[in-house]
Structure formats: C-alpha cells, structure tokens
Amino acid sequence: MSSWNPQPAGLQEILSTIHESTDMNVTVQRNITQKLNSFTRVPDYIAYLAHILTAMPQEEERIRTIAGYLLKNNARLILSSSPEVAQYVKAAVLRAFDDGSVMIRNAAGQDIVSFLGVLEPRNWPECLSQLVNMLDLSDLDKQEAAFNVLEKACEDYPRKLDVEIGGTRPLDFMIPKFLSLADHPSSKMRSHAVACLSYFVPVNCQSLFLHIDSFIACLFRRASDDDPSVRRHVCQALVLLLAARPEKLMPEMDHVAEYMLYSTKDKNENVALEACEFWLTFAEDVELAPFLQPLLGKVAPVLLDCMIYGEDDLLWLEGDAEDAEVPDKETDIKPRHYGGKSHGYERDANGEPTEAPKARIGAYGEETIDSDEDDDYLDDDEFVDEMSTEWNLRKCAAAALDVLAVRFSGDLLNVLLAPLKDKLWSNDWLQRESGILALGAMAEGCIEAIEPHLPTLVPYLINTLNDSKPLVRSITCWTLGRYASWTTQPISDEHKQKYFIPTMEGLLRMVLDNNKRVQEAGCSAFATLEEDAGIELAPYLEPVLRNLVFAFDKYQHKNMLILYDAVGTLADAVGRELSNPTYVEILMPPLTNRWAKLKDDDVDLIPLLECLASVTIAMGQAFLPYAPPVFERCCSIIHTSLLQYQQFQQNPELDEPDKSFLVVALDLLSGLTQGLGMALDVLINQSQPNLLTLLTVCLKHPQAPVRQSAYALVGDMAMGCFSILRPFMPGIMSELILQLDPEPKVEFVSASNNAAWSVGEVALRYGRDDAEFQQWVNPLISRLIPILLHPKAPRSLHENAAVSIGRIGLMHPGIVAPHLPEFAQAWCQALYEIRDNEEKDSAFRGLCTMVQANPAGIAKSLLWFCNSIVRWNQPSPELNNMFQTLLQGFKQHDEAGWAAQVAAFPPVIQERLATRYGV
C-alpha cells in the first residue's frame, strides 16, 4: 500500500458528518450538504472516503456505502490529488470491489466506473486488465460484477477505451472475449456481452469492425434468446448498426426486418421499445428510404397497433376522474425555463424562416423542455405522452409514424387508410384513442394526402370531443391542434361555418372541461389554433376572452401556466384588436388579480409577466391605466435581482440567483415601451433608482440572456421614447460596442444579435450627421464589418449587422461609404432573401445613399447589388426611386460597359432590371 494514512481528527469529522446525513430533517440535510461541499477543499478528502469504504469493517455497511457514493460524486478530485492520495484511492476501490458484502461491492463498482472515466483507461491500465481477467473467474457473482462495471464503462465512454496502451489496443483482446461470452450459459453474462459490443458501433471502433461479420452472426444467434434483456440488447445493437453501418445489414434486410417486426410485437415492452426504435432510425435516414418503402405495408400497421395504451399506462393515468377541483401536487409541475426574444428577420420561401413556431404541449399532452441552450419554453417536436415524461413504446411508435409520414406522405396513408378507419370507428375506446393519436402524428407529413378526407375527419373529431373518456377527449384536442392550419384557412364563409367556428367552440369547451388533462390539452390546442388563425379570431374575441377568463377561476396550478400562454398567444395573434375597451375590461381584472396575489420571488410570476408583455403590446394606449403598478414592479424586480447577483458575486458560496425574473421583467418593460411609447415618460423619470441606470448595469451582466433582453429594451426604447434614452447613450454605447463579437460563443449569439439590431435603431433616431453619434461610427463599423464578413458568424447575426451598417450608413454616409468595397458583396448576400419590411427598407436606403457617395465602391459587387434590388417585391416609393436613379446613373455613365456587365447576369435578373427600371 502507498504511504497515505488518515489523520484521526479528520477521519472522525468526515465519519460523523456521514452519520448525521442519515437524518431526514430538511434543515439538517441542508447543513450537511454545505459541510460536505466544504470538505471538497480538503486535499485528501477522497482518500478518507476510500478509507471508510474499504478499511473500516466495524462501521455499518450503510455508512460505508454512503462514503462510496460520495467518492463517486467527487471522482474528479483525483485529477488534482497528490500521487500518494491517487495511488491509495485506486488501490482501495479495487480492494473494496472484492469485499464480502454485495452493497460494498456495488458501491465500489460505481466508483471504478467513475474513476476509470476521469483518469481514462490509458492512465489506469491495471484496473482494466483486472476487470477483464475477472471475466474468466469460476465465481459467477464476481464474473457478473466485473462485466456489469465493464458494460457501464463501455456505455459511458467507449472512445476512451478505444485507445492504444503500451503498444497494444485492449479492445483487440476484449472484443473477441465479449463475442465468446455472448454464448455464456448465464443470461446476465450474455446480456452484458451483447450490450458491451453494441456500444462500440456508434464510435466507429475498428477493433469491433474487424469482427463485424462475427458480431452480426452473434446477434442472429442471440435473436431468439429466452431472456428478454438479451433480446433487448440485440435489438439495440441492430438499431445502432442501422445508423452506423447500414450497408452491413442491407444484404440481410429481409430477415432483419422480419425479426424487428416480430420483436416490435414482443410481450416485453423493453424489447418492443428497442425494436420500435429501429423503425424510427430507419425512417429518419433519407438515404435508406428506398429500402424502407417496400416494407411500409408491414411496418405501418404494426406501429399503429403499438400506439394503444398498455394496461400499466392506464393504471398510472387515472384517466376517468373529474379532478378539476383537485389541487396539483408540486411534483406535477416541471421547471419551465424562460428566455427572452432574439431579434431576427423572416426570409422568403427559399430561405428557411428564423422564427420557429412557439412550441407548447408535445404529442398527447405533456410539456417538454427544449434542448436548445437553456431557454425556450416548450418543444413540440418531441413526442411526449400525457402519462409521463418517460419515453415508451406508444410515443416511439407515434414518433416513427410522424417521420414516416414526412418521408412517404400519400404512400403511408394508402397503407393505413383501412386499419385507421377500423380504429376510428371501433366500439373500443382504446382503439379509437390510438387511431386519433395516429391521425395527429401523421398531420405534418400527410397533410396533402389527408386533406380530401378532412371534411369528414374534422367533424368526426369535433364530435369526439363529447366522448365520455377524458383520454379520448384530450388526444382529440391535440389532433385538432395538429390540423389547425387547415381549419383556420380563410377559404370561404362555408369553410369557416363548418370547420373553423365548430373547432374553436369545441376547443373552448375543452378548456373548461372538468378533467385537468383535458383542460391542458384543450388550452394548448387552442393556443395553436390562435397562432394559425391570427386576425381571423377578431370577430370572436368577446366569447373567447370570456371563456379564457372563466378558466382563471377554475384552473389549478399547472394548467394556469398554460392558460397564461394561451392569453399571451391570443394577444400576439389579434394585436391592436385587443385594445377595444370591452375586451380590456374583460381581460384585465383577472390578470391584475393574479398579479396582486403573487410575490416578487414566486416563480409563477414569470409566465404571468411574459403573458402581460404580449398583452401590453396588443392593447397599446388602452393599457395605460394599468401601467404604473406594472412598471414599478418590474423596476423593483430588476433592482432586487441585480442586488442579489452582486451579493452572489461577492460570495460564491451562495446559490446563483435565478436570472428568469430579471429577463422577464426587462421583456415586460419592452412590451410596455412598444405599447405605450412616450406615455412612459413620467414613470421613467420618477423611477427610483432610475430605470436607465439599472438598464446600463444589465448590459454588463455576466449572464447572456439578461444582456439579450437588456439590448432588446434599448432598441425598443430607441423606437418608442428616444428622448428619454438619449442622455444615457454614452454609457450604453461603451457596453454595446464590446458586445459586437464576430464569433460569439453559442450562448452569446442572441445577446450579440440584439445589440447589433438595437444600434441601428439608435442610429436612426439620432438623425443625419449627428455630432454625438458620429464619435461611435468608426468603432461600430470596425466591429460590424468583421461580423458581416466572418464565415462562421450565425446567419441571424450577419443579417442584423448588415441592417445596422445600412442604417448607420444612411445617417453617416461620409464615414461609412469609403468602406463599401470591403463589405458590399457580403451585405447584399446577407439581406437579399429577407422579406420586405421597414427595417430592410431603411437599410437599403442606407446602402443606396452610400453608393451615391461612393459609386466606385459597388463596382466589384454589381451583380449582387442588382440581384438584391430585383429580389424586392414592394420597395417603398422612396427606395424605388433611389434604385431607379442609381441604375439609370450607372447606365448613362458608361452605356457600353453597363450593357457588357448586364449581359453576363443571369437571365432572370436581366429581365427584371429591364421590366422594372428600364436598364
């Protein structure tokens, strides 16, 4: 053993803390957590834990096991430990892995997985060889324990194992070993063997691919294994092979497909789920579509059958209850992350849009957290079931059907039409429910093929909202939401009367259902309908608002959060229509009532503030009577949040404050600014501390989402109440210039976007050749041009930078125009696909003004300049005149040269230049 030895006092302190940790009292637990965290600063803390786990048999097994789990959680400390400590810990956990107690062996096994991952096998080869040698022991328990550790290691860090150590590759020995153990008499050993092998497929491991044919033969041998765990890993391996090396499966695809179809119907749900993943993986790969097409007739009906609720699901769901009066458990409510808006532009059809639709309830009713950064609210691409957030067979089958629909559209519908009809008109409610789910899952991909059937299906779905089973009503809401883009089309009055109004009325009825799951699905589907219907909802605002307001009194905690979303989305959809005094009087009392009940640190305030931001923009001046308390509270929340963050920076032991309150308060102030403009003058001037002082501090905040919302507010104030903002511009500009980064970290992109956008708004408000703004032109341009030219800068940042260069150039052409040769081509490339709007118009007026000041600057980019001109659909008269003047000027300056250049342009550009501008 190495020379490390524990100090009795230190050992006793750690040991007694572990003993105390078994006390369930919340306060005790909090103190223990702080104490354990403070131990991590003791250089040999992990050696003490290893000592308690391994060398103190007089202690209870439970205490030694807790030491083992703490050791696992602090495994990274070994990287900064002294050689003596590291040596002691490594030897101790290997010794504990041979302990007589199962509990101790299990804890030691988890420690080994963690330390082997942190140190990497190349730095602890003796551990790897000990584990592999244990696979040959005659003691089955020890064999399985070693294989269990190896399986976790192969799953967690296959790449770290795929290395050369001392001139040899351990996997060259391990892979054949695993292949032979796949035929072991013990099902646990067989299961571990197949699992370990499968984890090396996605990392393109050459040691495995040398034996790929033996591996596939092994999978076929194990395919009919008696043990479901082995079959599950066989299915998993085939899924991974399909994704990584499909060419190896293609020659056997008939057999593989038959086996996977058979396994998708396996009585064991874990096996069926892994097999179902095969079809999802198959469908997602465009290149494999030709191989999948001939199998559609067999695969799609099997997937359809997998979408029926299982008995276990139904026990869990308690679906028949009228539970609207039952308060939610706090555990039912998932954390919802709030992130501010990032300024982007919509593109024409050939450029993909910047704004994704607002995501909300996933398929079949459960909200999901978006994987993107740590911001947006919900993500409805994920198929997530009402029953739980766990991935299961029903969800996997629905997701596979969704992808198949996108891939094969009408072909899929032809295959499913008969079985789908049987399900939809079945007497068994479970069959009906699964058919409605399938119909919703296919909506996106099959819409054109399904459209001729919608005049029958939509009334069927509306009628099904009367079903006595809540689970049928809730899935019907979701499916109606999936077809909202069709029902809301303003095709004809007949279409509106037959489909739109009944869908709207039906979903509003579900919003007020007596079952909470139905309320949730109804409210979410109604929000989708609002988005698709937009201004078409205006004539029905009074009944819609009365229904939603009634829900404020009816809803429990969880659904209240979805109701806020529905109200906010309604405001976004109908805009200024909401400023009608009748509507203001219906909506504002319940919102102010909720507002008064919530404390400043209540997380439910966050979605309410977000909802109010949309409402204030929509109501405009009609919101003015309600503005003072809202404004004051936002300022108070910002002030408190900044003080909390200051305390956290001075004392990092504290928990980091939740940035969401700060972000959402800034966003609501943006909403107030957009809605009320200069009417905020009095409130801003009276604010203590002054709002603009607080805003300048927010621009320096270390957290990007705070800066993002702060720059959005700067831009909105420039547009709505510039005279209030102007005195504070020197402080704001010094921060803003620093935020303009050509290659921001991913999480900083939105903050940079908003900074780039806001500076253009500010430039316009200062006006032509303003002396104060002039001092910032060169520093800004020297940062905006590199952003525009940077190949790796995100597209949205290119666009915002280009618009601001144009707007600064409009106001200060003398300073910016000399740079034209540097940026003109990239500028035109960044903006030609953006939809016509006022921001684009002012940017192009700026470009034209700069070209007038420096015509030679555009010479090398003339093709791109002309392309971006003819891409306009409706330029403003002022801009159109500028285009006309410039193009005529180029032509008159050198007719022969102009004709030669234009002759080299693509025909479509030549044609539009001639038609529109006669050049």
Side-chain angles (χ1 to χ4, degrees):
M1 255 338 273
S2 72
S3 57
W4 182 85
N5 279 303
Q7 298 297 319
L11 181 61
Q12 192 48 50
E13 188 180 4
I14 291 172
L15 196 55
S16 59
T17 306
I18 292 175
H19 275 280
E20 287 167 27
S21 73
T22 57
D23 186 326
M24 286 291 111
N25 179 298
V26 176
T27 317
V28 173
Q29 284 290 326
R30 194 176 296 129
N31 294 337
I32 294 294
T33 305
Q34 283 183 334
K35 208 165 175 186
L36 291 172
N37 285 342
S38 70
F39 288 154
T40 59
R41 290 196 278 283
V42 176
D44 47 359
Y45 175 47
I46 53 172
Y48 282 100
L49 294 173
H51 182 81
I52 295 168
L53 173 70
T54 311
M56 300 192 74
Q58 70 275 25
E59 287 292 334
E60 276 180 71
E61 282 184 7
R62 184 168 68 139
I63 298 301
R64 293 169 63 197
T65 303
I66 292 172
Y69 287 135
L70 288 169
L71 190 55
K72 174 183 76 109
N73 294 340
N74 290 288
R76 295 203 67 76
L77 295 178
I78 200 167
L79 296 174
S80 52
S81 296
S82 68
E84 295 77 26
V85 166
Q87 197 51 47
Y88 181 87
V89 170
K90 290 191 294 188
V93 292
L94 287 177
R95 217 170 56 247
F97 194 50
D98 202 22
D99 195 274
S101 151
V102 175
M103 266 175 89
I104 302 300
R105 284 205 304 276
N106 285 345
Q110 294 197 27
D111 291 338
I112 291 170
V113 175
S114 294
F115 282 118
L116 196 57
V118 167
L119 291 166
E120 300 200 15
R122 70 174 86 219
N123 300 315
W124 197 14
E126 62 274 23
C127 172
L128 194 59
S129 57
Q130 179 172 328
L131 290 169
V132 175
N133 291 336
M134 286 176 76
L135 299 178
D136 292 328
L137 294 175
S138 54
D139 180 332
L140 184 59
D141 283 344
K142 289 187 175 175
Q143 259 187 321
E144 282 179 359
F147 221 163
N148 189 35
V149 168
L150 280 168
E151 185 188 323
K152 289 195 175 74
C154 294
E155 181 178 9
D156 290 352
Y157 39 85
R159 282 194 173 83
K160 291 179 184 176
L161 290 160
D162 191 10
V163 289
E164 198 171 283
I165 303 177
T168 60
R169 300 185 78 79
L171 285 184
D172 288 347
F173 172 74
M174 289 161 66
I175 298 284
K177 181 92 176 153
F178 296 161
L179 283 166
S180 68
L181 288 168
D183 295 319
H184 195 283
S186 153
S187 63
K188 278 190 180 170
M189 292 294 283
R190 297 196 300 275
S191 177
H192 287 315
V194 176
C196 283
L197 289 162
S198 71
Y199 294 130
F200 292 105
V201 174
V203 298
N204 201 19
C205 167
Q206 291 315 300
S207 305
L208 174 66
F209 288 154
L210 281 173
H211 302 279
I212 188 87
D213 295 329
S214 310
F215 177 43
I216 290 173
C218 154
L219 293 177
F220 287 161
R221 274 201 314 283
R222 294 275 60 87
S224 53
D225 200 292
D226 295 340
D227 188 271
S229 172
V230 178
R231 296 200 303 279
R232 180 172 84 83
H233 284 302
V234 168
C235 291
Q236 181 185 33
L238 289 168
V239 171
L240 294 168
L241 275 169
L242 181 70
R245 296 292 295 271
E247 77 284 357
K248 284 289 173 189
L249 290 185
M250 286 309 144
E252 298 289 339
M253 188 39 83
D254 287 349
H255 295 129
V256 174
E258 280 302 326
Y259 173 65
M260 284 309 213
L261 277 169
Y262 177 74
S263 299
T264 306
K265 296 182 271 191
D266 198 297
K267 296 270 184 290
N268 182 295
E269 173 150 346
N270 291 329
V271 177
L273 176 56
E274 283 301 340
C276 191
E277 292 277 1
F278 183 82
W279 306 114
L280 183 53
T281 303
F282 211 152
E284 281 172 338
D285 190 331
V286 179
E287 290 175 16
L288 296 180
F291 299 97
L292 183 53
Q293 184 125 18
L295 300 169
L296 265 187
K298 290 181 176 175
V299 175
V302 170
L303 292 175
L304 193 58
D305 286 337
C306 289
M307 288 157 68
I308 299 170
Y309 274 122
E311 286 174 21
D312 293 351
D313 298 337
L314 293 173
L315 285 173
W316 202 96
L317 283 164
E318 304 162 351
D320 288 347
E322 290 211 347
D323 58 0
E325 307 286 325
V326 181
D328 293 328
K329 299 193 215 47
E330 286 309 301
T331 49
D332 293 342
I333 297 153
K334 292 177 195 56
R336 299 171 67 154
H337 300 287
Y338 180 76
K341 320 279 183 295
S342 178
H343 193 273
Y345 297 94
E346 288 192 354
R347 304 197 185 96
D348 285 328
N350 51 348
E352 69 280 8
T354 43
E355 288 267 337
K358 198 180 206 173
R360 43 182 63 80
I361 297 292
Y364 5 123
E366 180 77 36
E367 66 266 69
T368 58
I369 296 300
D370 194 290
S371 58
D372 206 46
E373 286 188 70
D374 59 345
D375 288 337
D376 257 278
Y377 251 9
L378 307 173
D379 177 4
D380 79 354
D381 293 341
E382 289 287 325
F383 273 102
V384 175
D385 203 346
E386 301 150 321
M387 66 160 270
S388 74
T389 48
E390 280 181 23
W391 190 239
N392 62 15
L393 181 61
R394 170 182 159 93
K395 281 176 247 182
C396 185
L401 202 62
D402 183 17
V403 183
L404 285 173
V406 171
R407 196 72 69 234
F408 299 112
S409 195
D411 292 349
L412 177 70
L413 188 65
N414 292 340
V415 166
L416 285 183
L417 210 50
L420 201 52
K421 272 187 178 163
D422 291 345
K423 284 193 186 293
L424 292 175
W425 274 272
S426 164
N427 290 327
D428 179 350
W429 74 269
L430 286 168
Q431 295 286 342
R432 283 200 309 281
E433 194 277 346
S434 68
I436 294 166
L437 164 59
L439 198 58
M442 292 158 65
E444 186 187 349
C446 290
I447 185 72
E448 285 177 16
I450 289 180
E451 199 162 327
H453 303 278
L454 288 178
T456 313
L457 287 170
V458 168
Y460 163 84
L461 290 168
I462 293 166
N463 188 45
T464 308
L465 293 174
N466 299 315
D467 197 287
S468 63
K469 292 286 179 188
L471 288 173
V472 175
R473 299 200 297 280
S474 63
I475 200 63
T476 305
C477 290
W478 178 73
T479 296
L480 279 168
R482 297 276 283 180
Y483 289 100
S485 58
W486 182 82
T487 46
T488 56
Q489 284 175 357
I491 301 173
S492 66
D493 197 51
E494 187 191 11
H495 183 90
K496 189 181 284 185
Q497 297 299 330
K498 265 184 154 172
Y499 309 115
F500 173 52
I501 294 176
T503 301
M504 177 176 65
E505 288 173 343
L507 289 175
L508 281 173
R509 219 171 54 249
M510 296 304 99
V511 166
L512 299 177
D513 197 90
N514 285 327
N515 177 276
K516 289 194 287 192
R517 187 181 311 281
V518 178
Q519 292 172 359
E520 179 180 21
C523 202
S524 188
F526 192 74
T528 305
L529 182 91
E530 291 170 342
E531 251 168 10
D532 286 324
I535 203 68
E536 294 295 315
L537 276 171
Y540 315 101
L541 265 174
E542 187 165 342
V544 167
L545 285 168
R546 291 202 188 282
N547 269 272
L548 294 178
V549 162
F550 193 75
F552 273 106
D553 289 330
K554 182 163 186 155
Y555 276 15
Q556 300 299 332
H557 188 178
K558 182 183 176 189
N559 287 349
M560 190 68 78
L561 306 180
I562 297 161
L563 182 59
Y564 291 145
D565 176 48
V567 172
T569 305
L570 180 67
D572 295 339
V574 300
R576 278 292 138 90
E577 293 289 332
L578 203 58
S579 62
N580 176 322
T582 309
Y583 305 154
V584 176
E585 278 165 32
I586 297 172
L587 182 57
M588 285 313 295
L591 285 178
T592 45
N593 188 16
R594 295 291 308 164
W595 163 271
K597 283 182 185 165
L598 296 172
K599 293 195 170 73
D600 279 2
D601 59 354
D602 189 323
V603 289
D604 285 1
L605 194 59
I606 293 169
L608 175 56
L609 291 172
E610 187 203 9
C611 165
L612 275 170
S614 293
V615 169
T616 56
I617 295 170
M619 287 185 177
Q621 296 298 325
F623 192 81
L624 195 55
Y626 303 94
V630 173
F631 179 88
E632 283 156 25
R633 192 164 188 182
C634 286
C635 290
S636 163
I637 289 170
I638 292 169
H639 189 213
T640 307
S641 298
L642 290 174
L643 290 175
Q644 285 171 343
Y645 207 85
Q646 194 180 3
Q647 286 169 342
F648 164 71
Q649 285 175 309
Q650 288 160 358
N651 180 9
E653 294 281 297
L654 297 169
D655 289 337
E656 185 166 10
D658 183 355
K659 64 179 179 298
S660 305
F661 289 96
L662 188 45
V663 168
V664 79
L666 287 164
D667 287 350
L668 178 45
L669 287 172
S670 273
L672 281 169
T673 307
Q674 289 172 59
L676 296 170
M678 281 307 292
L680 287 178
D681 188 11
V682 178
L683 292 174
I684 293 174
N685 288 331
Q686 287 173 352
S687 55
Q688 278 302 328
N690 188 284
L691 170 62
L692 275 303
T693 311
L694 296 174
L695 177 57
T696 311
V697 178
C698 291
L699 299 177
K700 305 175 189 173
H701 201 283
Q703 289 178 314
V706 176
R707 298 199 301 279
Q708 175 186 335
S709 291
Y711 283 110
L713 181 52
V714 169
D716 288 327
M717 289 186 77
M719 293 162 75
C721 47
F722 180 62
S723 59
I724 305 170
L725 184 69
R726 183 165 182 162
F728 295 85
M729 278 317 298
I732 290 172
M733 285 305 285
S734 59
E735 291 305 321
L736 192 152
I737 291 165
L738 297 176
Q739 190 68 51
L740 300 173
D741 184 353
E743 202 174 342
K745 290 183 191 168
V746 174
E747 62 271 27
F748 291 0
V749 169
S750 294
S752 294
N753 264 341
N754 285 359
W757 163 74
S758 65
V759 79
E761 294 293 347
V762 168
L764 289 184
R765 301 314 179 287
Y766 266 104
R768 184 74 183 249
D769 294 324
D770 179 90
E772 186 183 10
F773 192 86
Q774 204 161 338
Q775 63 183 314
W776 300 312
V777 173
N778 277 324
L780 284 168
I781 293 299
S782 67
R783 282 186 171 249
L784 289 168
I785 291 176
I787 289 175
L788 185 57
L789 300 179
H790 199 294
K792 286 193 180 148
R795 188 169 177 177
S796 58
L797 196 48
H798 279 156
E799 292 164 356
N800 279 307
V803 166
S804 283
I805 290 170
R807 292 170 139 195
I808 294 168
L810 178 63
M811 295 298 136
H812 299 269
I815 308 177
V816 187
H819 298 279
L820 261 179
E822 225 181 310
F823 69 77
Q825 180 175 328
W827 194 97
C828 295
Q829 285 168 326
L831 295 185
Y832 75 86
E833 277 185 349
I834 286 182
R835 290 220 181 121
D836 298 0
N837 65 24
E838 166 41 39
E839 292 179 24
K840 180 181 172 184
D841 200 280
S842 60
F844 267 85
R845 294 201 307 276
L847 183 70
C848 292
T849 307
M850 290 186 273
V851 173
Q852 281 164 348
N854 178 15
I858 201 76
K860 289 194 173 135
S861 317
L862 203 56
L863 166 60
W864 289 101
F865 181 51
C866 292
N867 175 53
S868 64
I869 288 176
V870 300
R871 286 300 191 101
W872 272 86
N873 295 316
Q874 286 183 305
S876 65
E878 186 184 355
L879 179 60
N880 206 38
N881 288 339
M882 292 173 106
F883 288 156
Q884 182 81 49
T885 308
L886 282 174
L887 293 168
Q888 291 288 354
F890 287 138
K891 184 177 176 181
Q892 286 159 12
H893 176 68
D894 175 9
E895 288 222 16
W898 172 257
Q901 271 197 291
V902 172
F905 289 178
V908 64
I909 297 180
Q910 293 186 43
E911 185 192 320
R912 287 186 185 174
L913 284 174
T915 314
R916 292 187 192 175
Y917 301 105
V919 293

